[in-house]
Amino acid sequence: RGLGDVYKRQPVDAQAAKTILDEFSASEGVGKSFSLAIADGKGNIVAEHDAMIPRQPASTLKTLTAFAAATTLDMGSTLDTKTYLIQGDDNRKTVVLQGEGDMLLSDGESDPSHINGHAGLGTLAQRTAEALKQRGITQVDLLYDDSLFGQDRTPAGVTENNAEHRYYTAISTMAVDGGRTWTDMVKPANPDDSSQYPVLSQQPALDAATTFAKRLADNGITVMSGPTAGAAPSGTSALASVSSAPLNEVMAFMLRHSDNTLAQLFGRLTALKRQAGNSIKTDTQAVADTLAEQGIDTSGLQMADCSGLTPGSKVSVTTLIEMQERNLTAGIATAAAEGLSIPGLVGTARNRIVTGPDNGLFRVKTGSLDAVTSLAGNVSRVKGGVLSFAVIVNDPENQWSAIEAINVMAAKLAKL
């Protein structure tokens, strides 16, 4: 959402903004460990409390990862899942399934009307079976190549906030439905509905390959052995492939559903694109380096992961405000702005802040952990112009009261 310079220059009443801040500070449940900043459309802070103090941000950290990824990657590109054929000297035929990071595969046909399931293993199996039958092949061994992301795929310490493996699974080159198992919950009819948190698979690539083997059998190809981990052949054309939704749509899915694994995936893709390394540490460093190169103030920034789930991350609301100022400007990171949740309409903030006429005026990212509630975003003001804001509350006296106080505070911003 790029805005004209005149629209961004509309002044914000600093005294009225300070009144909103003071009212929030006195709200029940907030406590003393909070930071809040309100800025005009140019990013100039007009009211603040402890704006430079780094605090645990929860999922508002994802706005940093999204900006870095959208700055670095081709957001119109896709993540492809491919098959290859190896013909051994013993006349055995082996199909290799190889992924590039599409963790939103479906177990059936490709569904271009959705982001989750845009590419389907059933469609890939059908295309692969057709190519095999053209070569007179009806029996194969099956390997899957999950090697792209190396061995370091899970942030140290994430288990503290990952009860029953419901909020993070290791990044993978392929997964069905984000690794959601649906063993203890009813799977929603809409594949893009990620409002529930079923247990996540701890072997998503193997599960995807197992599903692919079943789909090959459905298409008349007998899998003699496998799936087994292996390597795709180099210098060989693919038998068949399917493509994810464009990365900008995957990013919107990640932000609006606050998907921790996909956030880490975007960090890894950023690190690989920058040739920075292939580990959790290089993921976070790639994000921080990209922000610094883009002129973002990263003073006090600590990233334990790329999602905000792992304990140990800290960021100031000043940094979050700068991210929002960039989100108000059309540019190279447009996808990071377009994916924000819209209160009243879509995303994790759908039922936050507003009811009625102010629907659609806010673009925000929520954050929530046991001792953290946060919100960062930008606002189209009722009287014209825009502003941005960021708030982080750590160790609130009452979590639910603090969340409601944030909602009340944010709703007032549209009237500035």
Side-chain angles (χ1 to χ4, degrees):
R1 184 175 55 147
L3 298 171
D5 189 62
V6 173
Y7 196 56
K8 291 177 65 180
R9 282 206 313 265
Q10 296 292 324
V12 174
D13 185 330
Q15 184 56 51
K18 184 178 185 304
T19 298
I20 292 173
L21 188 155
D22 290 342
E23 291 171 347
F24 174 78
S25 178
S27 297
E28 179 183 354
V30 171
K32 302 300 183 183
S33 299
F34 77 91
S35 296
L36 171 62
I38 302 168
D40 63 20
K42 290 286 190 179
N44 302 307
I45 294 177
V46 298
E48 62 88 13
H49 173 81
D50 287 350
M52 290 298 295
I53 294 181
R55 299 191 190 277
Q56 187 173 1
S59 285
T60 53
L61 190 74
K62 292 182 175 75
T63 61
L64 277 61
T65 299
F67 179 83
T71 302
T72 303
L73 305 172
D74 176 1
M75 299 306 289
S77 65
T78 59
L79 302 173
D80 297 343
T81 308
K82 304 176 181 179
T83 54
Y84 294 87
L85 176 63
I86 299 175
Q87 303 195 60
D89 294 337
D90 57 359
N91 206 36
R92 291 185 72 93
K93 310 296 191 294
T94 301
V95 167
V96 185
L97 176 68
Q98 183 184 50
E100 294 180 348
D102 187 356
M103 297 192 68
L104 298 177
L105 293 162
S106 80
D107 60 3
E109 295 183 0
S110 297
D111 179 4
S113 64
H114 290 96
I115 300 169
N116 186 18
H118 192 277
L121 290 174
T123 297
L124 181 59
Q126 180 184 16
R127 294 174 181 175
T128 301
E130 290 173 355
L132 291 171
K133 290 174 182 178
Q134 288 174 1
R135 294 165 171 78
I137 301 171
T138 58
Q139 294 182 341
V140 297
D141 299 321
L142 179 62
L143 302 178
Y144 67 98
D145 187 342
D146 182 41
S147 62
L148 179 62
F149 298 142
Q151 298 299 313
D152 187 5
R153 307 185 185 197
T154 300
V158 73
T159 53
E160 182 175 331
N161 291 326
N162 191 30
E164 299 179 311
H165 302 292
R166 294 182 186 275
Y167 307 111
Y168 183 86
T169 188
I171 56 174
S172 175
T173 61
M174 61 190 98
V176 174
D177 191 16
R180 300 170 185 88
T181 61
W182 300 112
T183 54
D184 60 341
M185 296 181 180
V186 177
K187 184 177 181 179
N190 179 1
D192 288 341
D193 180 352
S194 292
S195 59
Q196 300 182 68
Y197 296 92
V199 174
L200 299 174
S201 167
Q202 297 306 292
Q203 49 180 22
L206 175 58
D207 288 351
T210 300
T211 296
F212 180 71
K214 294 176 181 176
R215 298 294 89 82
L216 280 179
D218 293 342
N219 284 274
I221 302 298
T222 301
V223 177
M224 303 298 290
S225 69
T228 306
S234 59
T236 302
S237 298
L239 271 181
S241 68
V242 289
S243 299
S244 71
L247 287 183
N248 66 299
E249 295 184 17
V250 178
M251 177 170 285
F253 184 96
M254 179 275 286
L255 286 169
R256 290 178 177 172
H257 299 296
S258 207
D259 190 301
N260 299 300
T261 300
L262 291 182
Q264 195 67 47
L265 178 70
F266 272 111
R268 182 59 55 92
L269 293 173
T270 300
L272 291 178
K273 181 70 173 182
R274 289 174 58 93
Q275 298 182 323
N278 203 3
S279 68
I280 299 297
K281 182 177 181 179
T282 56
D283 298 347
T284 58
Q285 192 63 52
V287 171
D289 289 347
T290 303
L291 300 182
E293 290 166 7
Q294 294 297 320
I296 302 295
D297 183 356
T298 58
S299 301
L301 175 64
Q302 300 176 35
M303 295 182 67
D305 61 16
C306 292
S307 70
L309 182 65
T310 304
S313 290
K314 290 188 176 182
V315 67
S316 72
V317 292
T318 300
T319 299
L320 294 178
I321 283 281
E322 291 198 23
M323 299 308 313
Q324 292 307 314
E325 190 278 326
R326 299 302 180 93
N327 283 340
L328 290 169
T329 305
I332 55 177
T334 303
E338 292 178 342
L340 292 172
S341 178
I342 305 175
L345 297 176
V346 67
T348 55
R350 184 182 60 184
N351 297 317
R352 297 282 301 272
I353 305 174
V354 299
T355 55
D358 291 343
N359 287 359
L361 295 182
F362 297 78
R363 303 290 189 279
V364 301
K365 181 70 196 75
T366 59
S368 182
L369 291 170
D370 285 345
V372 182
T373 181
S374 59
L375 193 71
N378 56 78
V379 186
S380 296
R381 295 149 59 199
V382 172
K383 297 177 182 179
V386 296
L387 61 77
S388 55
F389 73 98
V391 57
I392 301 173
V393 180
N394 286 176
D395 301 313
E397 292 176 352
N398 182 285
Q399 180 89 349
W400 294 110
S401 296
I403 292 172
E404 182 57 26
I406 290 175
N407 289 339
V408 171
M409 177 275 297
K412 295 174 183 176
L413 299 177
K415 307 301 191 296
L416 284 175

